[in-house]
Amino acid sequence: MANFVLQLPTSNLRSISVYASSNGAPPGTGSQNGGPVVLELPLEKIRRPLMRTRANDPNRVQELMDSIRQIGLQVPIDVLDVDGVYYGFSGCHRYEAHLRLGLPTIRCKIRRGTKETLRHHLR
Ligand code: ADP
């Protein structure tokens, strides 16, 4: 199984790592420079503190389910990594679509955050 790592330079001279593997599995490496990494996370590893406060549009979820079933997830959801605990605040429809499709993992763009970042999201 071949793995490819594409390093894209960004304007602030950090770089974004985009991983692709032929079997969809994460390559098992984290970011070497603190930038975001894209990899598959098990759904149950992502805490969603605001899930009960925001209702998803069921039609959008259904459309995403149909599309993801056909062509897969095209844009990863954003996830915050605070001391090894993953938090999702957006991507709610994509997350629910994965749940309802019974998919075990979801492709995530993971950024490191501090407890202060987390508090900001929870405000
Ligand atoms: P969410 O709450 O997940 O952000 P939205 O309806 O606001 O839901 O946005 C759906 C997002 O999902 C869009 O940014 C779209 O580009 C992305 N997306 C990723 N994969 C797919 C797919 N297979 N079909 C349709 N949209 C997709």
Side-chain angles (χ1 to χ4, degrees):
M1 296 287 176
N3 285 326
F4 305 98
V5 179
L6 173 64
Q7 294 276 339
L8 300 173
T10 56
S11 54
N12 64 1
L13 297 182
R14 295 194 319 171
S15 62
I16 296 171
S17 304
V18 179
Y19 297 101
S21 66
S22 57
N23 61 0
T29 57
S31 168
Q32 290 165 358
N33 56 14
V37 292
V38 175
L39 48 82
E40 298 272 336
L41 288 181
L43 295 187
E44 73 270 12
K45 288 260 178 201
I46 305 168
R47 296 189 187 182
R48 304 198 64 92
L50 303 180
M51 194 157 74
R52 285 186 200 85
T53 65
R54 292 177 188 167
N56 284 338
D57 176 342
N59 292 329
R60 246 154 80 186
V61 173
Q62 186 59 57
E63 283 169 14
L64 277 166
M65 287 171 67
D66 296 341
S67 178
I68 290 166
R69 202 187 283 116
Q70 282 182 22
I71 61 171
L73 184 67
Q74 301 296 297
V75 182
I77 63 168
D78 289 312
V79 166
L80 195 62
D81 170 355
V82 181
D83 299 334
V85 181
Y86 298 111
Y87 294 88
F89 294 96
S90 57
C92 309
H93 294 85
R94 281 165 281 175
Y95 181 89
E96 186 178 337
H98 275 64
L99 260 187
R100 294 180 53 168
L101 284 168
L103 297 170
T105 62
I106 184 166
R107 189 165 289 266
C108 300
K109 186 185 223 178
I110 304 169
R111 290 186 180 79
R112 296 293 297 270
T114 62
K115 290 206 168 67
E116 181 51 36
T117 324
L118 183 58
R119 271 195 290 274
H120 175 79
H121 279 280
L122 289 170
R123 255 178 234 146

